[in-house]
Amino acid sequence: MNVKVVSRILEANDRIAGENAGILRQKGIYSINLMGAPGAGKTSILERLIPALNGKRKTGVIEGDIAGTEDAERINSLGVPVVQINTGGACHLDANMIREVLPELPLDGIDILIIENVGNLVCPAEFDVGEDMKAMVLSVAEGHDKPLKYPLMFQKSSALIINKIDLLPHVGADLARIRKDALALNPRLKIFEVSSRTGEGFDSLTEWLSGLR
Ligand code: MG
Ligand code: ZN
């Protein structure tokens, strides 16, 4: 019985995700579902990336959080359109939440829509929202065991942004093992190593993001 209910939820979600994808495609928007654990640095990475794009690719952001507007305020201060979704407890975004907020964004003026999912390494990977691509952030402070413990997100993501590499000497995470385990789960994964604190590694990430369409 439980299985039936869950599959119906996912079916309804996929149908709405397809509708969202149609709207975004019609507007010529490339969309990225950005996932990762709380504190991995998803918003901090956007604070580096969006100014680096320098208006060459106009960015819009949907911020997903259980509560609060702090992340949306940080993005808003960069001068790009942003809308905050508060899930009120739900630990992931779903397609219906995205459908509800799309009319709040100036879609005609957006080239790249970044959807920052709720901080969570598990179920955000299970719910398509209509995105062109899933990407994830993993900070080295979370440890090198995460690919093998949370395989689905690594398998579903097209890009892995390894953040906080400035902390490597302090946290003792094995970067080579993260890369090896992640690539074993997903050989096509594109991997970036960055520090949102120092700005290291953002050139190649920005170049990659500017080329998406
Ligand atoms: Mg955030
Ligand atoms: Zn969830």
Side-chain angles (χ1 to χ4, degrees):
M1 189 59 198
N2 271 341
V3 172
K4 257 186 193 161
V5 172
V6 169
S7 84
R8 260 192 230 124
I9 290 170
L10 287 173
E11 270 170 35
N13 185 75
D14 286 350
R15 180 178 52 75
I16 299 167
E19 292 168 10
N20 292 345
I23 293 169
L24 295 170
R25 199 173 307 128
Q26 194 201 349
K27 297 284 184 187
I29 296 172
Y30 192 93
S31 58
I32 302 170
N33 182 354
L34 185 65
M35 309 177 292
K42 300 181 291 301
T43 313
S44 301
I45 283 171
L46 295 185
E47 285 177 316
R48 287 273 181 191
L49 273 178
I50 290 170
L53 284 171
N54 199 20
K56 275 175 285 189
R57 303 280 284 154
K58 294 199 187 67
T59 314
V61 178
I62 296 173
E63 279 292 339
D65 283 292
I66 288 175
T69 58
E70 189 170 333
D71 286 359
E73 285 162 22
R74 287 165 65 186
I75 300 298
N76 184 54
S77 71
L78 303 173
V80 299
V82 57
V83 53
Q84 175 86 54
I85 296 174
N86 279 155
T87 63
C91 47
H92 59 269
L93 295 177
D94 65 30
N96 192 49
M97 297 175 194
I98 301 304
R99 175 167 69 177
E100 281 176 17
V101 302
L102 282 182
E104 308 292 327
L105 286 165
L107 296 180
D108 289 322
I110 293 176
D111 303 315
I112 297 177
L113 175 65
I114 300 173
I115 300 161
E116 184 187 327
N117 218 305
V118 178
N120 180 344
L121 276 179
V122 188
C123 43
E126 294 169 18
F127 289 81
D128 292 341
V129 296
E131 70 274 37
D132 289 300
M133 172 205 289
K134 289 182 172 66
M136 68 172 291
V137 180
L138 176 77
S139 78
V140 296
E142 292 164 65
H144 48 234
D145 54 354
K146 294 302 170 290
L148 297 183
K149 285 189 173 180
Y150 301 93
L152 185 66
M153 191 166 288
F154 292 85
Q155 286 163 334
K156 291 260 188 157
S157 293
S158 302
L160 165 63
I161 304 166
I162 303 176
N163 191 23
K164 306 191 190 181
I165 55 168
D166 55 305
L167 292 183
L168 273 172
H170 309 287
V171 297
D174 184 343
L175 200 52
R177 186 176 152 192
I178 294 175
R179 297 186 73 103
K180 175 171 146 292
D181 289 348
L183 286 169
L185 289 165
N186 179 356
R188 294 169 61 188
L189 191 65
K190 194 153 176 46
I191 302 179
F192 299 92
E193 296 173 9
V194 306
S195 164
S196 53
R197 180 164 290 271
T198 67
E200 190 182 349
F202 274 85
D203 285 352
S204 55
L205 189 55
T206 306
E207 195 185 314
W208 167 74
L209 193 67
S210 346
L212 297 172
R213 56 197 76 218

